[in-house]
Amino acid sequence: MIHFILLFSRQGKLRLQKWYTTLPDKEKKKIVREIVQIILARHQKTSSFVDWKDLKLVYKRYASLYFCCAIEDQDNELLTLEVVHRYVELLDRYFGNVCELDIIFNFEKAYFILDEFIIGGEVQDTSKRSAVKAIEDSDMLQETVEEYMNKPAF
Amino acid sequence: MLTTIKQKACYSAALYCLTFLNKTGATLTFCKGKSKEAEIKRINKELANIRSKFKGDKALDGYSKKKYVCKLLFIFLLGHDIDFGHMEAVNLLSSNRYTEKQIGYLFISVLVNSNSELIRLINNAIKNDLASRNPTFMGLALHCIANVGSREMAEAFAGEIPKILVAGDTMDSVKQSAALCLLRLYRTSPDLVPMGDWTSRVVHLLNDQHLGVVTAATSLITTLAQKNPEEFKTSVSLAVSRLSRIVTSASTDLQDYTYYFVPAPWLSVKLLRLLQCYPPPDPAVRGRLTECLETILNKAQEPPKSKKVQHSNAKNAVLFEAISLIIHHDSEPNLLVRACNQLGQFLQHRETNLRYLALESMCTLASSEFSHEAVKTHIETVINALKTERDVSVRQRAVDLLYAMCDRSNAQQIVAEMLNYLETADYSIREEIVLKVAILAEKYAVDYTWYVDTILNLIRIAGDYVSEEVWYRVIQIVINRDDVQGYAAKTVFEALQAPACHENLVKVGGYILGEFGNLIAGDPRSSPLIQFNLLHSKFHLCSVPTRALLLSTYIKFVNLFPEIKTTIQDVLRSDSQLKNADVELQQRAVEYLRLSTIASTDILATVLEEMPPFPERESSILAKLKKKKGPGTVTDLEEIKKERSSDMNGSAEPASVNASAVSTPSPSADLLGLGAAPLTNSAPPPSSSGSLLVDVFSDSASAVAPLAPGSDDNFASPDLASSEVVSEEPADTVHDADELFHKFVCKNNGVLFENQLLQIGLKSEFRQNLGRMFIFYGNKTSTQFLNFTPTVICSDDLQPSLNLQTKPVDPTVDGGAQVQQVVNIECVSDFMEAPILNIQFRYGGTFQNLSVKLPITLNKFFQPTEMSSQDFFQRWKQLSNPKQEVQNIFKAKHPMDAEITKAKIIGFGSALLEEVDPNPANFVGAGIIHTKTTQIGCLLRLEPNLQAQMYRLTLRTSKEAVSQRLCELLSEQF
């Protein structure tokens, strides 16, 4: 089970956080600080896995953004890397050439897409089509012309 | 795609001022790149604006509400605190417009707190959406339940979701969400998700047409099966056949579920995980499973279908999971060896990730009898990894693997390589390597001279990382094996010749020479005087505990070598010893000097006799490594333990130790009485007797054994090491204190705990939902407590309900002194358990660890309420729901005195209502429990039956758990 997912920039700015276990806010902030520091300090060409407390961090960098998942000991590390990749693909498909700014300004969409893909720390559906379709369907559901015009186009 | 992120992101850094356009067209400008203050100012302005909109006279339409709630979320996600807007978000939930509902749910998921009012409203909205039969709305509601995942949510929906999951007409996408949502609730509150008819139907979801449904269901079943294996046994054959269909399918068969030419990797891995919950299946199914596993291993040998890393990752993810299953079954030698060979290939792969995982996976393979030999063939590669890997976490795995593959045949090589690596190892893993080397050297020592050399080398290379356990252990072994004593004495003597040697070496050297220096004294190069001078040349550079140990060595020398007695007496007599500022050193110098002058040689020989062999017990080093690594590695360590106990000389006589004797050192004791002390090795004095030897020389429990160099302070001896392990389980101390704990239910001040060392007193006051407790720790001895650390521990269940804040106390508590600690208490909601007060400290050489329950009980937050008879009975009737009432009939434990009973009820916190009950013998009380979130009215009635010596206690409150807890607490009082 994935315990949490963090997205942060190379400057250490947190862009998205998703927690699948209940923790007090203070604790979350502490964890984020600690993990960002650990990951940013790692060199290139090192493995993508870091032991952290009794969990394992699996991370990967996409351009300026780090994606980091904390998984349990018995979870599959390589497949977690592909969970991250699939999520990036989903974002890419929805935004069309996704970039960090898309995630900053359309954070709610980034969360919705993640919710379609992962629930409670487990992968819900691995089909690219069904996850994106769910989001697009819901967009069509209520989007008025006015809203559509205001959709950011970077 | 990946590169485009880069292109577009490059101007994000250049932007000074970002304009945030959300879909509603509102503009929110954040001054990035300017000062932090500017950003905070800007945000505060925006927050004020939103607040005024929410508070304004005009009712906001859904559209603007959504806009502002969305802004609040954005601000929260930037890292600022948000304390309003929850109500507006909840309102959005009932909107019919999808995007408004969606933002509402997102806000709740991210920012929900346990505000009970809101939870009710939220649950209501979720209930409506679940009943809406609109799959999109149902999906949102399920996501929200899974995201919040609180106990309240579980209480409200744990019954409903299984129905949705197995209903025939539920859409596939909703089924998937429902399965994982249920999983989340099961993880937080397993007691609220009872198994039932639905379980068998969930198992059959493994056969579902829709692979997404199967994927989600497999996760659920795996977790449920871990706790209820019987209930889900049928899933094994279904999982095997599903897996078989996937691995034999062509890469295009599964369409969208094929990921970079790998068919359904997620589902495959989850199925393999599910199978790891069970032992190998029946022969029929087993054959099919073996075929699957062989196919997966075969595919690993095929050329890759794509050069993309995603392809290799997905393929190898399945492979590693299959290997995990093979190791889990540990029954097919053929598969195990194949797995090992496959991993061997990965050990030299250019991908760091694969090397890392191969090393990790091989560690578990090494413990299987079938593959242990196959793993051993890779020893050179692993040693090479230790030397050349650039990533410390990979090197760490290599160390683990070397440790796991070590046996008698390769121990010398592996230990040598580890020692070699230790010289350059990263600081973060040195201590662990030291422990591992120490364990391996001991476990596989055929020749104990090799063992002694290895440990001395360890101290030389990484002295700072050699913990006490390691050097205690080498001394235990040397003392228990007479064949190695002479060699040990010679080796430490040589090692001490080095101009700079680590303090740990001085300790080992001091101890061993003190015991066995006579064995090498025949050689003129290590005559008694030379030995003494050598040790004494290190004396001034050492810390106090080491010096104390050396002083004990000196007095042992007086016995071993009478010819240098005067030299030693001169040293002891010098001002720097007799007038040493450190009490311990001074005391030792004075007493040893007196002992050497007064006592006859016979007495000296008895008092300073060689240490008896130590009793054989689990190595404290192993215990330490276990503690470091957690329970995961315990299995193979237990095996080590078994093996070692047969390896080592198990016949060692237990030292005569009276563990219950805790005596107080009395510096003024009359040494002349020594001659009368009937102390021999075999007949320890009774603990209560005033044996002066005990009084003078010991402040630790193990002191009845003949005096050892440094018998207290730092030479904690194996008894202590083991008592450390034992006392890690505070269970029995906690239990003992139960009775005292109950005394505090009806009173606030008194003594909570007392033993020969320590007294804990309490003083507390409570008002409404707040309280403050003063804890007084009194040192009853005349010796300092060191590293004194009291910690208040709330269990996970308790933590959300009770807020406790403590300040640390001074780590040293002087003899006879008292320190005070304040605990601030806030009751957030009603709770059952009591927090635990754990206290750890060093007393003399002994590590003390004790735990007591801290008497913070729910009734402390009682406010008494006076009411008339009429009011009372009216309320009593209002609370007539059977769940609100709890009754207990019990035998009186104390004399049934009406006045004492009254005092106890008042002490319990409720008001005592006179002339309410028609029967004047009965007692009636009323009060309100104050918590931060709610107030709970409580009524109680106690009916004594003098004839039967019984009581009947009835409690009625608006909350079942509260009635229950109060009834438990109060029943113990009479």
Side-chain angles (χ1 to χ4, degrees):
Chain A
M1 171 201 170
I2 301 175
H3 280 232
F4 52 83
I5 299 176
L6 304 177
L7 264 68
F8 50 89
S9 69
R10 281 165 75 181
Q11 288 76 34
K13 265 268 182 211
L14 190 63
R15 294 304 181 204
L16 184 143
Q17 48 176 326
K18 186 80 192 176
W19 302 82
Y20 296 109
T21 47
T22 318
L23 292 170
D25 278 344
K26 230 179 169 173
E27 183 70 22
K28 288 184 188 169
K29 279 187 183 162
K30 214 178 107 204
I31 292 175
V32 169
R33 254 201 320 271
E34 194 182 327
I35 286 177
V36 168
Q37 218 170 29
I38 292 174
I39 305 259
L40 290 181
R42 304 235 336 147
H43 297 283
Q44 275 184 331
K45 297 231 175 172
T46 54
S47 70
S48 312
F49 319 124
V50 187
D51 288 328
W52 179 77
K53 300 196 174 162
D54 45 355
L55 299 179
K56 197 168 262 185
L57 305 177
V58 175
Y59 70 95
K60 184 159 181 175
R61 205 181 100 187
Y62 285 92
S64 60
L65 267 188
Y66 282 91
F67 291 67
C68 174
C69 301
I71 57 172
E72 287 169 13
D73 203 37
Q74 69 270 28
D75 285 326
N76 196 309
E77 295 91 346
L78 285 177
L79 209 56
T80 309
L81 277 178
E82 296 319 300
V83 165
V84 167
H85 186 77
R86 182 35 66 96
Y87 180 50
V88 175
E89 284 184 346
L90 292 174
L91 290 173
D92 198 56
R93 178 128 162 197
Y94 179 77
F95 288 110
N97 279 338
V98 65
C99 74
E100 196 179 333
L101 288 180
D102 291 325
I103 294 171
I104 298 173
F105 294 137
N106 298 287
F107 65 96
E108 78 279 19
K109 294 293 176 204
Y111 277 97
F112 296 147
I113 294 172
L114 192 55
D115 272 349
E116 287 298 333
F117 182 38
I118 296 173
I119 299 181
E122 301 281 353
V123 171
Q124 172 176 218
D125 198 336
T126 58
S127 156
K128 210 188 314 193
R129 213 165 23 188
S130 42
V132 171
K133 194 165 170 289
I135 296 291
E136 279 168 356
D137 280 358
S138 58
D139 276 358
M140 294 309 289
L141 216 58
Q142 285 295 326
E143 204 164 67
T144 61
V145 177
E146 178 208 22
E147 280 170 348
Y148 183 75
M149 294 302 286
N150 278 317
K151 193 171 177 176
F154 285 100
Chain B
M1 165 189 73
L2 315 182
T3 49
T4 50
I5 292 197
K6 195 183 282 173
Q7 281 168 11
K8 287 212 251 162
C10 64
Y11 65 81
S12 84
L15 282 177
Y16 280 104
C17 202
L18 294 181
T19 302
F20 169 52
L21 277 166
N22 69 15
K23 290 236 190 79
T24 56
T27 314
L28 180 55
T29 312
F30 290 105
C31 306
K32 289 262 173 76
K34 287 190 187 167
S35 66
K36 184 90 186 158
E37 290 82 54
E39 183 186 316
I40 289 173
K41 218 171 139 192
R42 179 74 192 84
I43 280 170
N44 284 338
K45 200 174 148 203
E46 190 61 39
L47 284 177
N49 176 36
I50 298 173
R51 208 186 294 258
S52 72
K53 294 281 184 208
F54 284 164
K55 281 216 179 119
D57 306 331
K58 252 195 331 188
L60 288 176
D61 55 359
Y63 171 85
S64 346
K65 228 182 260 171
K66 185 193 100 180
K67 180 172 77 182
Y68 294 122
V69 167
C70 196
K71 280 186 178 186
L72 282 179
L73 250 179
F74 186 80
I75 291 170
F76 176 79
L77 293 170
L78 280 177
H80 302 267
D81 292 331
I82 297 294
D83 54 2
F84 67 102
H86 301 75
M87 201 58 213
E88 284 72 16
V90 174
N91 284 340
L92 284 177
L93 297 186
S94 47
S95 162
N96 275 329
R97 291 168 75 93
Y98 180 76
T99 45
E100 286 167 20
K101 198 188 267 291
Q102 202 182 21
I103 291 291
Y105 272 124
L106 182 59
F107 188 93
I108 301 296
S109 308
V110 175
L111 267 145
V112 84
N113 59 15
S114 51
N115 190 323
S116 59
E117 269 308 289
L118 279 179
I119 285 288
R120 212 167 39 80
L121 292 172
I122 294 167
N123 284 356
N124 225 354
I126 292 177
K127 215 165 268 169
N128 289 338
D129 281 336
L130 284 183
S132 71
R133 308 185 65 79
N134 172 335
T136 330
F137 286 5
M138 288 173 88
L140 278 183
L142 289 168
H143 290 172
C144 181
I145 299 173
N147 279 329
V148 176
S150 64
R151 197 166 168 85
E152 286 88 350
M153 290 263 179
E155 275 164 4
F157 301 110
E160 181 68 16
I161 294 171
K163 287 183 208 150
I164 298 176
L165 177 58
V166 296
D169 56 347
T170 308
M171 294 265 297
D172 287 336
S173 64
V174 177
K175 262 190 206 166
Q176 287 170 274
S177 304
L180 293 178
C181 185
L182 186 61
L183 172 56
R184 171 72 201 257
L185 295 185
Y186 182 78
R187 278 190 180 131
T188 38
S189 334
D191 54 313
L192 294 177
V193 186
M195 301 298 108
D197 297 342
W198 57 275
T199 46
S200 60
R201 299 176 66 182
V202 166
V203 173
H204 282 279
L205 290 178
L206 288 175
N207 269 337
D208 203 281
Q209 293 278 316
H210 191 281
L211 279 191
V213 173
V214 186
T215 311
T218 311
S219 294
L220 174 65
I221 294 168
T222 306
T223 306
L224 294 176
Q226 278 161 1
K227 292 266 169 64
N228 321 278
E230 272 306 304
E231 201 97 28
F232 291 90
K233 230 166 57 186
T234 44
S235 62
V236 173
S237 60
L238 293 179
V240 171
S241 63
R242 189 95 224 187
L243 182 68
S244 161
R245 267 179 281 160
I246 295 172
V247 294
T248 52
S249 67
S251 56
T252 49
D253 284 1
L254 302 173
Q255 296 164 352
D256 220 20
Y257 289 88
T258 299
Y259 181 82
Y260 289 86
F261 305 102
V262 182
W266 277 277
L267 181 53
S268 311
V269 165
K270 284 183 177 193
L271 290 169
L272 288 163
R273 268 293 293 285
L274 170 59
L275 292 171
Q276 286 172 58
C277 301
Y278 290 94
D282 312 330
V285 183
R286 194 167 169 176
R288 201 161 176 202
L289 177 59
T290 308
E291 268 170 41
C292 288
L293 295 171
E294 275 169 351
T295 315
I296 294 171
L297 285 168
N298 290 340
K299 277 191 182 169
Q301 296 298 328
E302 289 170 11
K305 294 199 175 72
S306 152
K307 282 204 173 119
K308 287 228 157 83
V309 66
Q310 283 76 27
H311 171 69
S312 92
N313 276 353
K315 189 166 126 180
N316 292 327
V318 178
L319 176 64
F320 274 109
E321 207 60 52
I323 292 177
S324 293
L325 180 62
I326 293 170
I327 297 172
H328 170 78
H329 285 168
D330 195 13
S331 59
E332 301 264 355
N334 176 33
L335 288 177
L336 282 160
V337 171
R338 280 195 69 186
C340 184
N341 294 340
Q342 181 62 52
L343 294 177
Q345 288 179 19
F346 285 151
L347 285 183
Q348 287 166 319
H349 202 279
R350 59 185 170 78
E351 278 269 330
T352 315
N353 286 345
L354 285 180
R355 295 198 302 275
Y356 174 99
L357 293 173
L359 287 167
E360 186 180 61
S361 194
M362 257 198 188
C363 261
T364 37
L365 266 182
S367 58
S368 162
E369 52 172 320
F370 300 115
S371 49
H372 185 80
E373 287 304 315
V375 171
K376 272 167 65 185
T377 58
H378 298 287
I379 184 167
E380 295 302 332
T381 323
V382 182
I383 288 172
N384 198 38
L386 199 57
K387 290 176 179 158
T388 55
E389 282 291 348
R390 275 196 259 165
D391 183 352
V392 52
S393 42
V394 183
R395 290 197 296 269
Q396 163 96 58
R397 293 286 158 269
V399 173
D400 289 348
L401 178 53
L402 283 178
Y403 179 73
M405 66 162 69
C406 190
D407 62 17
R408 212 169 281 279
S409 70
N410 55 18
Q412 303 234 356
Q413 185 189 8
I414 286 179
V415 166
E417 288 296 346
M418 281 193 175
L419 277 176
N420 226 342
Y421 172 59
L422 191 56
E423 308 216 22
T424 53
D426 310 74
Y427 296 108
S428 55
I429 58 175
R430 278 194 186 183
E431 190 184 353
E432 203 188 313
I433 298 177
V434 168
L435 292 176
K436 285 186 163 151
V437 169
I439 290 169
L440 293 179
E442 181 186 333
K443 187 177 164 196
Y444 298 114
V446 186
D447 173 5
Y448 276 85
T449 58
W450 172 71
Y451 170 74
V452 171
D453 284 342
T454 305
I455 302 294
L456 290 182
N457 258 330
L458 263 188
I459 297 178
R460 185 179 54 78
I461 297 169
D464 286 342
Y465 298 90
V466 173
S467 56
E468 292 180 336
E469 287 85 351
V470 174
W471 72 263
Y472 292 168
R473 191 70 189 161
V474 66
I475 284 172
Q476 281 172 42
I477 286 175
V478 169
I479 286 183
N480 286 6
R481 302 193 63 97
D482 25 2
D483 53 332
V484 79
Q485 288 163 355
Y487 179 80
K490 185 165 159 280
T491 324
V492 290
F493 178 77
E494 276 160 15
L496 282 170
Q497 307 281 351
C501 50
H502 196 272
E503 192 165 333
N504 278 336
L505 182 66
V506 180
K507 288 179 187 164
V508 177
Y511 196 105
I512 289 183
L513 291 180
E515 294 291 322
F516 309 114
N518 54 331
L519 299 177
I520 55 168
D523 188 329
R525 282 167 300 176
S526 53
S527 71
L529 191 60
I530 296 180
Q531 284 186 39
F532 173 73
N533 285 338
L534 178 64
L535 282 176
H536 199 55
S537 69
K538 315 281 181 197
F539 186 89
H540 302 281
L541 300 170
C542 293
S543 63
V544 170
T546 309
R547 284 196 219 176
L549 186 151
L550 285 178
L551 286 179
S552 297
T553 304
Y554 298 167
I555 190 69
K556 286 227 151 190
F557 275 176
V558 169
N559 177 42
L560 290 179
F561 314 121
E563 64 267 35
I564 57 167
K565 182 171 166 182
T566 45
T567 321
I568 291 173
Q569 282 176 333
D570 286 344
V571 168
L572 291 175
R573 203 177 287 124
S574 69
D575 277 358
S576 61
Q577 307 296 352
L578 278 189
K579 295 185 181 167
N580 195 297
D582 187 273
V583 176
E584 178 64 35
L585 291 180
Q586 193 188 76
Q587 188 181 341
R588 283 193 190 212
V590 171
E591 286 172 2
Y592 290 162
L593 185 59
R594 292 293 287 164
L595 181 63
S596 69
T597 21
I598 294 169
S600 70
T601 26
D602 284 355
I603 291 173
L604 271 184
T606 315
V607 174
L608 303 168
E609 195 183 346
E610 191 178 299
M611 287 291 282
F614 288 94
E616 221 20 74
R617 48 166 64 90
E618 185 188 2
S619 156
S620 46
I621 309 177
L622 265 179
K624 177 153 186 174
L625 188 68
K626 268 185 208 171
K627 211 155 109 190
K628 263 183 93 78
K629 296 295 271 186
T633 50
V634 170
T635 37
D636 73 321
L637 289 168
E638 261 159 13
E639 185 193 305
I640 295 170
K641 190 171 116 195
K642 256 187 272 155
E643 206 176 322
R644 202 205 46 251
S645 57
S646 56
D647 266 8
M648 292 294 301
N649 46 348
S651 60
E653 288 271 315
S656 38
V657 165
N658 192 335
S660 63
V662 177
S663 52
T664 327
S666 58
S668 58
D670 181 9
L671 274 162
L672 290 171
L674 256 182
L679 179 73
T680 58
N681 196 8
S682 55
S687 63
S688 57
S689 90
S691 162
L692 287 168
L693 194 66
V694 176
D695 276 346
V696 174
F697 290 114
S698 82
D699 40 12
S700 83
S702 57
V704 191
L707 177 63
S711 66
D712 44 27
D713 280 355
N714 57 40
F715 189 67
S717 84
D719 306 311
L720 303 176
S722 74
S723 76
E724 223 161 296
V725 176
V726 172
S727 57
E728 262 168 44
E729 294 160 38
D732 41 289
T733 26
V734 173
H735 185 76
D736 286 344
D738 250 16
E739 203 176 319
L740 278 168
F741 172 80
H742 285 301
K743 282 193 187 154
F744 278 89
V745 170
C746 292
K747 65 175 191 174
N748 285 333
N749 306 328
V751 174
L752 175 65
F753 174 85
E754 183 154 15
N755 65 11
Q756 287 123 315
L757 307 177
L758 177 73
Q759 187 192 51
I760 305 174
L762 289 185
K763 245 175 134 171
S764 43
E765 54 195 34
F766 294 88
R767 220 173 51 214
Q768 302 206 326
N769 70 322
L770 300 177
R772 179 175 294 170
M773 182 176 270
F774 296 88
I775 311 178
F776 300 92
Y777 304 97
N779 180 345
K780 288 171 65 183
T781 71
S782 52
T783 312
Q784 269 189 343
F785 292 165
L786 297 171
N787 301 337
F788 187 81
T789 27
T791 340
V792 179
I793 304 159
C794 284
S795 68
D796 290 349
D797 290 340
L798 187 57
Q799 219 157 30
S801 314
L802 201 60
N803 253 335
L804 298 179
Q805 287 176 332
T806 49
K807 290 209 181 79
V809 299
D810 194 276
T812 347
V813 184
D814 287 328
Q818 193 181 53
V819 292
Q820 173 192 328
Q821 186 177 33
V822 187
V823 185
N824 286 319
I825 306 156
E826 183 189 33
C827 172
V828 181
S829 61
D830 61 283
F831 58 96
M832 303 293 281
E833 297 164 64
I836 305 280
L837 175 65
N838 174 270
I839 298 149
Q840 301 185 338
F841 59 94
R842 246 170 218 289
Y843 164 70
T846 346
F847 174 78
Q848 306 279 344
N849 182 1
L850 56 98
S851 296
V852 284
K853 275 192 195 167
L854 208 52
I856 301 174
T857 46
L858 186 56
N859 66 298
K860 298 291 177 195
F861 306 97
F862 243 132
Q863 290 289 111
T865 323
E866 294 290 343
M867 57 178 80
S868 68
S869 173
Q870 195 193 351
D871 281 352
F872 182 85
F873 282 106
Q874 194 187 349
R875 283 171 209 222
W876 186 263
K877 277 181 201 127
Q878 280 167 0
L879 296 170
S880 56
N881 186 322
K883 278 194 167 175
Q884 294 166 330
E885 181 185 284
V886 172
Q887 197 168 67
N888 189 12
I889 299 170
F890 53 95
K891 256 205 130 49
K893 290 196 247 350
H894 305 286
M896 296 174 81
D897 181 309
E899 287 311 310
I900 294 177
T901 307
K902 278 183 189 170
K904 280 184 174 166
I905 291 178
I906 292 170
F908 191 63
S910 66
L912 182 71
L913 305 178
E914 310 260 14
E915 291 167 27
V916 166
D917 201 298
N919 179 350
N922 292 349
F923 305 92
V924 165
I928 296 169
I929 298 274
H930 286 261
T931 73
K932 192 182 174 194
T933 44
T934 54
Q935 300 187 350
I936 303 149
C938 308
L939 304 175
L940 69 89
R941 187 181 195 205
L942 181 72
E943 298 157 272
N945 181 339
L946 282 167
Q947 256 171 345
Q949 288 286 306
M950 302 275 279
Y951 285 103
R952 180 163 77 180
L953 174 64
T954 315
L955 266 137
R956 285 190 178 185
T957 76
S958 46
K959 204 164 168 187
E960 188 186 9
V962 173
S963 307
Q964 191 66 47
R965 179 62 180 156
L966 291 178
C967 185
E968 276 168 31
L969 287 169
L970 195 55
S971 300
E972 291 296 327
Q973 300 304 316
F974 301 105

